[in-house]
């Protein structure tokens, strides 16, 4: 089995479990390739077995059965850009903080690998959002798992985002910015702006203004088969476009449109972990001291 590994810096006390991971993959005779920068970092804390190769951004992961994302949710978002249209299943191992998407704790890495080999897992299909701009802004990595945002820069005044759905005028948002989130991204930036939570299988986007000037403007759910386009204006000539964790400065007059990408991300889920259980455990969804979580209603 060929397995790719991507990751970000981790706490030193987690080095033993990562050493155990590499040793276990070696014992299973897995063909392992590690992202180049993470390979360099990892080698400072663990002994990487001989024969485990490196790969970079421009190298294809074709032939990999799984990709292990070691870090937090941001690492998993980055991993999606490496996988792209190959749709290789991604297992998120949480060495970060919240771990809403990366649900496997370091202590359960070895049972998780065993589950992969035995086929004891399910795959969750997660829709992606695609951004097209003129002039081009994000190059070949113009898709994301969470959200696309249009934001004012620094301390500049609010901006106006004229928004259209399938060419039909929707609204002009006077705000600090505007977010278009996928169901996966509905529990992130969009949620903090008052947007609703959507289940992963929901075929929708949510449009949520950031600090709107008009209080009667609220988040709106639209079908993800729609094409949402924007015209941006403001006192500043520069704005920010953000796609997950990737931000670019653009000039006024840029043409922007978003739609659903024609491929999905596949996330590996184990041990009865699903979206609803993650909502309860990670976001304390519905937590009420009057109704302890272990009490049946």
């Amino acid at each position: 089995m060929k397995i790719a590994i991507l990751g970000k810096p981790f706490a030193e006390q987690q080095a033993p479990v990562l050493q155990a991971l590499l040793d276990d993959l070696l014992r299973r005779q897995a063909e392992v390739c590690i992202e180049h920068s993470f390979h360099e970092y990892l080698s400072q804390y663990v002994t990487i077995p001989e024969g485990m190769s490196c790969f970079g951004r421009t190298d294809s992961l074709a032939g990999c059965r799984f990709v292990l994302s070691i870090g937090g949710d941001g690492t998993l978002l980055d991993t999606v850009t490496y996988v792209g249209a190959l749709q290789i299943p991604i297992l998120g191992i949480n060495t970060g903080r919240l771990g809403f998407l990366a649900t496997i704790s370091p202590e359960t890495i070895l049972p998780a690998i065993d589950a992969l080999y035995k086929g004891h897992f399910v795959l969750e299909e997660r829709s992606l959002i695609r951004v097209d701009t003129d002039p081009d802004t994000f190059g070949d990595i113009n898709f994301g798992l969470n959200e696309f945002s249009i934001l004012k820069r620094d301390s500049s005044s609010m901006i106006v985002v004229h928004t259209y759905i399938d060419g039909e005028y929707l609204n002009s948002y006077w705000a600090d910015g505007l977010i278009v989130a996928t169901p996966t991204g509905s529990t992130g930036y969009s949620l903090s702006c008052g947007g609703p939570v959507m289940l992963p299988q929901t075929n929708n986007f949510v449009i949520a203004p950031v600090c709107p000037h008009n209080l009667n403007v609220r988040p709106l759910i639209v079908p993800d088969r729609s094409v949402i386009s924007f015209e941006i204006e403001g006192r500043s000539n520069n704005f920010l476009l953000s796609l997950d964790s990737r931000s670019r400065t653009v000039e006024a007059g840029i043409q922007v449109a978003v739609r659903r990408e024609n491929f999905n991300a596949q996330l590996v889920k184990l041990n009865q972990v699903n979206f609803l259980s993650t909502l309860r455990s990670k976001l304390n969804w519905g937590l009420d001291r009057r109704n302890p979580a272990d009490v049946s209603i």
Side-chain angles (χ1 to χ4, degrees):
M1 182 183 293
K2 185 176 182 180
I3 295 177
I5 299 177
L6 292 95
K8 294 291 174 66
F10 50 82
E12 287 189 36
Q13 60 266 29
Q14 294 172 341
V17 296
L18 297 181
Q19 182 69 69
L21 167 64
L22 297 181
D23 292 343
D24 185 59
L25 293 176
L26 177 65
R27 180 181 62 82
R28 295 177 185 272
Q29 299 182 342
E31 181 183 351
V32 178
C33 52
I34 306 173
E35 192 274 327
H36 187 269
S37 61
F38 187 57
H39 187 283
E40 290 186 350
Y41 176 82
L42 193 61
S43 63
Q44 302 175 56
Y45 301 96
V46 304
T47 301
I48 300 177
E50 293 184 5
M52 293 190 177
S53 60
C54 297
F55 68 93
R57 169 67 71 180
T58 58
D59 297 321
S60 174
L61 295 179
C64 289
R65 181 66 181 87
F66 297 101
V67 178
L68 307 185
S69 172
I70 301 175
D73 291 345
T75 308
L76 194 143
L77 295 179
D78 192 35
T79 301
V80 169
T81 67
Y82 278 82
V83 172
L86 294 174
Q87 301 187 95
I88 303 168
I90 301 170
L91 178 68
I93 298 170
N94 180 34
T95 58
R97 287 171 292 183
L98 181 63
F100 194 86
L101 295 173
T103 56
I104 302 301
S105 66
E107 297 75 21
T108 60
I109 289 179
L110 296 187
I113 297 301
D114 191 56
L116 293 186
Y117 272 82
K118 291 180 177 179
H120 296 167
F121 62 87
V122 296
L123 294 179
E124 279 190 357
E125 296 274 350
R126 299 294 184 99
S127 60
L128 304 172
I129 189 168
R130 172 191 173 99
V131 182
D132 294 300
T133 62
D134 186 15
D136 183 46
T137 303
F138 293 101
D140 293 334
I141 311 176
N142 63 339
F143 57 91
L145 178 60
N146 265 5
E147 74 274 313
F148 167 73
S149 307
I150 302 171
L151 303 166
K152 69 173 190 174
R153 293 191 63 197
D154 305 324
S155 59
S156 61
S157 60
M158 73 175 67
I159 61 178
V160 184
V161 184
H162 306 292
T163 306
Y164 303 81
I165 299 179
D166 293 328
E168 183 177 346
Y169 176 68
L170 169 63
N171 188 29
S172 293
Y173 292 91
W174 295 66
D176 284 357
L178 191 70
I179 301 168
V180 182
T182 66
T184 300
S186 70
T187 55
Y189 194 1
S190 174
L191 180 63
S192 71
C193 293
V197 171
M198 296 189 291
L199 297 181
Q201 62 268 32
T202 305
N203 296 318
N204 293 310
F205 291 137
V206 56
I207 303 174
V210 181
C211 300
H213 181 65
N214 299 318
L215 296 181
N216 60 347
V217 174
R218 293 291 184 266
L220 177 69
I221 295 175
V222 300
D224 64 8
R225 63 178 179 273
S226 306
V227 177
I228 309 170
S229 54
F230 310 96
E231 296 173 356
I232 316 165
E233 62 175 283
R235 294 179 183 176
S236 172
N237 288 323
N238 296 317
F239 313 100
L240 285 179
L241 300 185
S242 179
L243 184 55
D244 285 351
S245 58
R246 307 182 302 281
S247 296
R248 305 286 187 271
T249 300
V250 298
E251 296 182 354
I254 187 172
Q255 298 182 32
V256 184
V258 300
R259 68 193 74 201
R260 178 170 177 167
E261 184 56 276
N262 58 15
F263 54 85
N264 297 324
Q266 295 197 80
L267 304 186
V268 177
K269 294 300 177 183
L270 307 173
N271 301 326
Q272 307 302 316
V273 173
N274 57 43
F275 180 79
L276 299 180
S277 64
T278 304
L279 268 183
R280 294 191 299 271
S281 63
K282 299 293 186 178
L283 296 187
N284 294 327
W285 201 254
L287 182 65
D288 189 325
R289 62 187 302 175
R290 297 168 299 177
N291 297 318
D294 58 349
V295 175
S296 300
I297 303 300

